[in-house]
Amino acid sequence: MDTTNQEINASQKNKLTLLLCIILTFTVMNGTMFNVAIPDIAEEFQLLPSQVSWVMTGYILVFAIGSLMYGKLADIYPIKTLLTIGIILFASGATLGFISPNYSTLLAARILQAMGGATIPALSFIIPARFMPNERGRVFGIVASTVAFASGVGPIAGGLVGGAFNWRFLFIFSMISIIAIPFLRKWLPDEEIRPGKVDIIGAIIIAIAISSTLMFITTLSIIPLVVAILSFGLYTWRAFTHDQPFIQPDMLKNKYYSTTILTSFLGTVCMFGMIFVIPIMARDLYSLSTVQIGFLLFPGAMAAGIIGQYGGKLIDKHGSYPILRVAFLLVIIGSFLISTFIGLPAWVIAASILIQYMAFPLIQSSTANLLTVIIPKERTGVGIGLFNLVNFLAGAIASAIFGSILDLENTSIQLNPLGQNGPNIIYSNLFIGLTVLSVIAVTIFSLVYKNNKEVKAARNN
């Protein structure tokens, strides 16, 4: 029996939500923990910075593409099957990484991990939409708060485990995820394979386009940019000539879907921009250690974990529209306060970070909830998959752009009249930029959705 529209019972919901959050924590931490382990890996295998960077870059490439692919597959194949395969690949890659005798094996392990790990965030947003429709806002909030919390805990855990033992022990967190499989198979409903087929050629073209885009973002080389432009052009032609293209063009023509995706993209740029810049600023201006930087972000991550759960309940009660606007207000306030207080004691910055961090799960859960109303049920998988992919690209773009800006090192132009003078000006200006970007995002969203009867239901769900 196809359970696409069948809601599971309360006991299953609670157990499944808890289990998803635990697995999701391992997955997100797997990405952030290895940031602090890069120097140790480079030293053990005698690698140049450009070589060791592929431990993260290779993972990012496969993970980003996988987040879209698994979303599309979920429109056809049972989620239970996809998650089982994904977790097996994820844990197998971790086991291979733990025993890797050389860098080539380690790189293969990270790619294998990404191939499996991409199923977890991709399907974690689809499961509530499909099996918990009456409480999807609450569950979206819990899932989004888990992502925010894990992203803050990851660097701390990575520093503590890597410092006390060895970077290989970071794989332990991923290896134990295999324990979740029997519980997932018990608590997830059975589904039949639904009608449809996967446009393999279209998927390959999209994969090349996305890979080239990420390569351009991380290297600023002209060749990946040309390949990306040609690939996107080729896919556009295929989308209008193939009977079942990988991504239906009418989805992107829907201005409410496109606006929600754009809003989420800009919000994620602001959040990942903050998470990228703060550690660099903390080391440069405050001379904090890796663990101290982790604790600087930790209060915000904790606050995000708490507010996300309450925010999800508020979405179910009041709708996504007002919650998203409040979330962007938090980003605006937090970014402006950080810009203003840079140079003051670190605890002041931590308090400002906390305000901005709280917005992260609210933006993620409210936009995801809106999409489940806008997207036709038969396309929920690919619609949410594209949402995950765009957010992932937002993180990569934010890191590349802000990294390039920080390379300028010095500037004499102070954009924030309330900001402190000195070497912190460039950091202050970056956060003013995030403030302005947040204002633009919430303005676009409000103008498109305001007083529109066609999306009245979406605003109340």
Side-chain angles (χ1 to χ4, degrees), residues 65 123 127 140 168 174 191 264 431-432 455 461:
I65 296 167
L123 301 181
I127 288 172
F140 282 148
R168 294 177 184 274
S174 304
E191 300 175 90
S264 179
F431 281 98
I432 281 294
V455 291
N461 284 280

Side-chain angles (χ1 to χ4, degrees), residues 308-329:
Q309 300 192 36
Y310 286 105
K313 295 176 182 177
L314 290 174
I315 289 171
D316 282 331
K317 184 177 181 180
H318 300 289
S320 300
Y321 184 80
I323 303 303
L324 186 60
R325 288 162 61 90
V326 170
F328 271 102
L329 181 62

Side-chain angles (χ1 to χ4, degrees), residues 27-364:
T27 309
V28 175
M29 288 178 61
N30 179 71
T32 57
M33 285 190 303
F34 277 88
N35 285 331
V36 300
I38 290 297
D40 295 333
I41 295 172
E43 181 179 355
E44 178 165 337
F45 294 119
Q46 298 296 302
L47 301 171
L48 297 173
S50 59
Q51 294 173 313
V52 75
S53 67
W54 277 97
V55 170
M56 296 304 299
T57 303
Y59 186 88
I60 289 171
L61 285 172
V62 178
F63 198 93
I65 296 167
S67 65
L68 175 60
M69 300 300 179
Y70 284 116
K72 176 64 176 180
L73 291 173
D75 285 335
I76 302 173
Y77 299 102
I79 288 179
K80 180 185 294 189
T81 302
L82 295 176
L83 268 177
T84 300
I85 295 172
I87 293 174
I88 290 173
L89 290 174
F90 184 61
S92 299
T95 304
L96 182 62
F98 184 77
I99 62 174
S100 54
N102 52 54
Y103 180 60
S104 297
T105 306
L106 174 63
L107 193 57
R110 289 290 285 167
I111 292 174
L112 189 61
Q113 268 196 300
M115 289 172 61
T119 60
I120 299 167
L123 301 181
S124 292
F125 280 99
I126 297 173
I127 288 172
R130 184 170 295 178
F131 304 123
M132 311 175 195
N134 295 327
E135 298 181 52
R136 63 178 183 272
R138 178 184 70 85
V139 181
F140 282 148
I142 295 172
V143 169
S145 64
T146 300
V147 173
F149 174 77
S151 66
V153 173
I156 299 175
L160 293 175
V161 174
F165 301 99
N166 180 274
W167 61 266
R168 294 177 184 274
F169 284 84
L170 298 179
F171 283 110
I172 295 292
F173 292 95
S174 304
M175 291 167 62
I176 60 179
S177 64
I178 197 77
I179 300 173
I181 290 179
F183 299 101
L184 283 170
R185 296 193 64 83
K186 178 180 179 180
W187 295 331
L188 274 170
D190 293 320
E191 300 175 90
E192 294 179 349
I193 297 178
R194 286 171 286 277
K197 61 181 180 180
V198 179
D199 176 17
I200 300 297
I201 295 177
I204 293 173
I205 296 172
I206 285 288
I208 293 172
I210 294 168
S211 301
S212 302
T213 301
L214 285 173
M215 288 293 293
F216 169 69
I217 291 169
T218 54
T219 66
L220 297 181
S221 173
I222 192 66
I223 295 177
L225 176 61
V226 172
V227 173
I229 293 172
L230 292 175
S231 299
F232 279 118
L234 180 60
Y235 183 78
T236 301
W237 170 80
R238 182 172 180 82
F240 286 98
T241 57
H242 194 269
D243 59 338
Q244 292 190 39
F246 190 76
I247 299 175
Q248 298 284 352
D250 58 336
M251 283 185 61
L252 300 178
K253 287 181 182 179
N254 184 325
K255 68 177 182 180
Y256 307 114
Y257 178 80
S258 299
T259 299
T260 306
I261 289 289
L262 176 62
T263 302
S264 179
F265 172 82
L266 295 176
T268 305
V269 166
C270 292
M271 298 312 303
F272 275 90
M274 181 269 289
I275 294 172
F276 175 80
V277 173
I278 288 295
I280 298 174
M281 183 190 75
R283 182 66 58 85
D284 184 27
L285 298 182
Y286 296 92
S287 301
L288 300 184
S289 67
T290 300
V291 175
Q292 288 174 323
I293 292 170
F295 281 111
L296 183 68
L297 292 168
F298 185 71
M302 285 291 293
I306 295 170
I307 198 69
Q309 300 192 36
Y310 286 105
K313 295 176 182 177
L314 290 174
I315 289 171
D316 282 331
K317 184 177 181 180
H318 300 289
S320 300
Y321 184 80
I323 303 303
L324 186 60
R325 288 162 61 90
V326 170
F328 271 102
L329 181 62
L330 290 174
V331 178
I332 292 167
I333 294 172
S335 296
F336 184 77
L337 289 178
I338 295 172
S339 172
T340 302
F341 295 145
I342 289 174
L344 296 182
W347 68 266
V348 179
I349 302 299
S352 303
I353 292 171
L354 185 149
I355 295 173
Q356 182 168 345
Y357 225 129
M358 288 193 298
F360 182 63
L362 298 180
I363 292 173
Q364 291 281 292

Side-chain angles (χ1 to χ4, degrees), residues 296-456:
L296 183 68
L297 292 168
F298 185 71
M302 285 291 293
I306 295 170
I307 198 69
Q309 300 192 36
Y310 286 105
K313 295 176 182 177
L314 290 174
I315 289 171
D316 282 331
K317 184 177 181 180
H318 300 289
S320 300
Y321 184 80
I323 303 303
L324 186 60
R325 288 162 61 90
V326 170
F328 271 102
L329 181 62
L330 290 174
V331 178
I332 292 167
I333 294 172
S335 296
F336 184 77
L337 289 178
I338 295 172
S339 172
T340 302
F341 295 145
I342 289 174
L344 296 182
W347 68 266
V348 179
I349 302 299
S352 303
I353 292 171
L354 185 149
I355 295 173
Q356 182 168 345
Y357 225 129
M358 288 193 298
F360 182 63
L362 298 180
I363 292 173
Q364 291 281 292
S365 55
S366 55
T367 50
N369 192 57
L370 270 176
L371 291 177
T372 60
V373 178
I374 297 168
I375 304 168
K377 285 185 171 60
E378 67 274 11
R379 298 182 189 172
T380 299
V382 69
I384 296 294
L386 187 57
F387 162 77
N388 285 319
L389 171 64
V390 167
N391 286 336
F392 204 80
L393 286 174
I397 291 171
S399 300
I401 292 176
F402 296 140
S404 298
I405 293 174
L406 289 176
D407 285 344
L408 300 175
E409 294 185 355
N410 296 315
T411 180
S412 59
I413 302 173
Q414 173 68 274
L415 299 179
N416 184 354
L418 302 178
Q420 308 291 314
N421 292 320
N424 54 289
I425 290 179
I426 191 167
Y427 296 106
S428 177
N429 289 347
L430 274 175
F431 281 98
I432 281 294
L434 293 181
T435 305
V436 173
L437 190 62
S438 301
V439 171
I440 293 172
V442 74
T443 300
I444 293 173
F445 176 81
S446 298
L447 288 174
V448 171
Y449 274 89
K450 185 178 181 181
N451 297 326
N452 195 300
K453 296 180 180 179
E454 295 179 42
V455 291
K456 186 176 182 180

